[in-house]
C-alpha cells in the first residue's frame, strides 16, 4: 500500500543539545504548520540515519542522537505523525540488522529506506548487508522498503531498476533542484513495468547557504554537468530575495509535478529544511502544497 504522504525531514540533533532541544523543535514544527495553514497535513517525520562522511563536510559532524532515541523523544509531541527513516545496512550483519529493523517497525516507522556506505567507500565495502540484498531479505519484516533515487547520477536507470527488482516499494529522491526527475521517470516508465511510489524531495535554501554551502556539498557529484547546473541554481536561490526565491522554487515544483503526475507512479512529497525548520521554509512548502498535494489530489 502506498504511503501517500507529506513527510518532513528532521535530522537527529547533536547529543550535547539534549532532549529538551528536541522537544522544542517538535513544538516549533507544530506551530509553524499552524501558521502556514498546513496544520495536520504532515503525516510523517523522515529521520535520516547519520553517518560520518568526508572530512570536508561544511558543518562538523558531531555525535548525534540515534534515530530511535530521537524518535522516542519527539513522537509523544507529534501524536498524529508516524515515522520514515533511512537505515545504513552495510555495517550490520544479518541478525543485527533484522533486530534493528524490528525495533524501527515496532516504534512506528512505516517506511525504511536502505542505504549503503558513505561516498568515501566503494559499493560493496562494509562487513554487513548490502542495501540491495536487504530489500529482498526483509520483505516480510518491512512492508515499505525504500531506495534512494538520484536522477542525475550516471547509470541510475539500471541501478534503480535493479533495486525495484530486489523489492523496493518506494524511491526517495535526492533533493531536487532541477526537473531532471521528469525525464528520468518518463524513461523509466517507458522501459520498465515497475511503478514504485516516488517520494519527491524538495529543500528550502536559506541565505546562509551562501556562506556555508551544506546543500552544495550534499548534492555534489564532481564532473557531472547536470549536478553542476543544480548547484548553480542553489547558489542563485541562496542569494535571491525571499519573494523571488519562493517563486523559483514553486515554479520548479510545478514543473516536476506536471511532468511526473500522469506517469503512473504513486507520489508522496518529502520536505527538507537543511539548516533547520523556519517560517520562510514552511511558507514555501505550504504554497507548494496549494498547487498539488497527495492528500488533496
Amino acid at each position: 500500500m502506498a504511503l501517500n504522504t507529506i513527510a518532513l525531514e528532521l535530522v537527529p540533533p547533536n547529543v550535547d543539545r539534549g532532549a529538551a532541544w528536541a522537544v522544542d523543535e517538535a513544538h516549533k514544527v507544530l506551530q509553524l504548520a499552524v501558521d502556514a495553514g498546513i496544520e495536520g497535513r504532515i503525516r510523517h517525520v523522515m529521520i535520516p540515519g547519520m553517518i560520518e562522511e568526508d572530512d570536508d563536510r561544511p558543518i562538523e559532524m558531531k555525535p548525534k542522537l540515534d534515530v530511535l532515541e530521537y524518535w522516542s523523544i519527539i513522537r509523544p509531541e507529534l501524536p498524529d505523525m508516524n515515522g520514515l527513516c533511512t537505515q545504513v545496512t552495510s555495517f550490520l550483519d544479518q541478525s543485527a540488522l533484522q533486530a534493528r529493523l524490528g525495533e524501527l517497525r515496532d516504534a512506528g516507522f512505516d517506511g525504511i529506506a536502505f542505504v549503503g556506505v558513505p561516498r568515501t567507500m566503494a559499493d560493496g565495502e562494509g562487513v554487513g548487508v548490502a542495501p540491495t540484498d536487504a530489500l529482498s531479505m526483509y520483505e516480510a519484516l518491512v512492508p515499505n522498503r525504500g531506495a534512494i533515487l538520484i536522477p542525475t547520477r550516471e547509470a541510475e536507470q539500471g541501478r534503480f531498476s535493479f533495486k525495484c527488482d530486489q523489492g523496493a516499494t518506494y524511491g526517495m529522491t535526492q533533493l531536487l533542484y532541477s526537473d531532471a526527475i521528469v525525464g528520468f521517470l518518463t524513461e523509466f516508465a517507458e522501459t520498465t513495468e515497475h511503478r514504485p511510489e516516488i517520494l519527491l524531495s524538495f529543500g528550502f535554501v536559506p541565505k546562509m547557504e551562501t556562506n556555508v554551502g551544506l546543500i552544495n556539498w550534499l548534492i555534489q557529484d564532481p564532473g557531472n554537468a547536470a549536478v553542476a547546473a543544480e548547484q548553480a541554481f542553489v547558489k542563485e536561490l541562496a542569494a535571491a530575495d525571499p519573494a523571488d526565491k519562493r517563486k523559483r522554487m514553486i515554479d520548479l515544483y510545478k514543473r516536476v509535478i506536471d511532468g511526473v503526475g500522469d506517469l503512473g507512479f504513486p507520489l508522496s512529497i518529502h520536505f527538507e529544511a537543511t539548516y533547520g525548520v523556519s517560517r520562510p521554509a514552511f511558507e514555501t512548502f505550504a504554497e507548494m502544497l496549494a498547487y498539488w498535494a497527495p492528500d488533496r489530489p
Side-chain angles (χ1 to χ4, degrees), residues 56-291:
D56 64 346
R57 191 177 192 271
I59 297 178
E60 180 186 358
M61 176 73 84
K62 296 182 178 180
K64 293 185 176 294
L65 291 179
D66 175 70
V67 168
L68 277 168
E69 184 179 6
Y70 180 43
W71 181 233
S72 71
I73 295 169
I74 65 173
R75 191 182 190 190
E77 314 303 322
L78 305 170
D80 296 327
M81 300 184 198
N82 276 9
L84 304 174
C85 69
T86 61
Q87 173 61 51
V88 178
T89 67
S90 302
F91 304 113
L92 297 174
D93 64 27
Q94 185 173 344
S95 60
L97 182 57
Q98 180 169 327
R100 171 70 172 183
L101 296 177
E103 290 177 335
L104 290 168
R105 180 200 59 192
D106 294 343
F109 284 90
D110 291 335
I112 304 172
F114 300 131
V115 297
V117 295
R119 58 184 128 195
T120 50
M121 301 171 66
D123 287 344
E125 290 191 64
V127 297
V129 179
T132 48
D133 292 336
L135 288 167
S136 57
M137 192 177 295
Y138 302 105
E139 179 177 0
L141 183 62
V142 183
N144 292 309
R145 301 171 307 286
I148 303 301
L149 170 57
I150 305 177
T152 53
R153 183 164 55 179
E154 184 180 359
E156 188 74 349
Q157 288 282 338
R159 183 183 288 107
F160 190 57
S161 180
F162 179 66
K163 291 175 180 178
C164 292
D165 289 340
Q166 290 291 99
T169 64
Y170 70 91
M172 184 172 72
T173 72
Q174 186 182 51
L175 286 171
L176 302 176
Y177 291 109
S178 75
D179 56 8
I181 188 67
V182 175
F184 180 93
L185 288 179
T186 300
E187 180 180 345
F188 196 77
E190 291 173 348
T191 55
T192 79
E193 295 183 356
H194 292 301
R195 295 297 182 271
E197 183 167 10
I198 305 297
L199 273 68
L200 298 167
S201 302
F202 296 90
F204 183 74
V205 182
K207 189 178 179 100
M208 66 187 302
E209 169 68 13
T210 299
N211 296 321
V212 180
L214 179 58
I215 298 172
N216 181 81
W217 181 84
L218 287 170
I219 66 174
Q220 67 176 307
D221 187 5
N224 186 326
V227 173
E230 292 188 338
Q231 290 175 310
F233 182 60
V234 167
K235 186 175 181 180
E236 293 167 5
L237 287 174
D241 66 70
D244 183 45
K245 186 200 307 273
R246 185 179 304 175
K247 180 182 184 303
R248 298 185 72 177
M249 279 301 301
I250 300 303
D251 286 347
L252 171 62
Y253 185 81
K254 289 179 178 180
R255 292 200 310 274
V256 170
I257 294 299
D258 291 349
V260 304
D262 294 327
L263 295 177
F265 298 95
L267 299 176
S268 283
I269 300 298
H270 166 227
F271 290 132
E272 180 178 336
T274 307
Y275 291 88
V277 295
S278 67
R279 186 175 302 276
F282 266 67
E283 290 173 348
T284 300
F285 298 156
E287 192 167 337
M288 290 175 170
L289 295 177
Y291 183 73

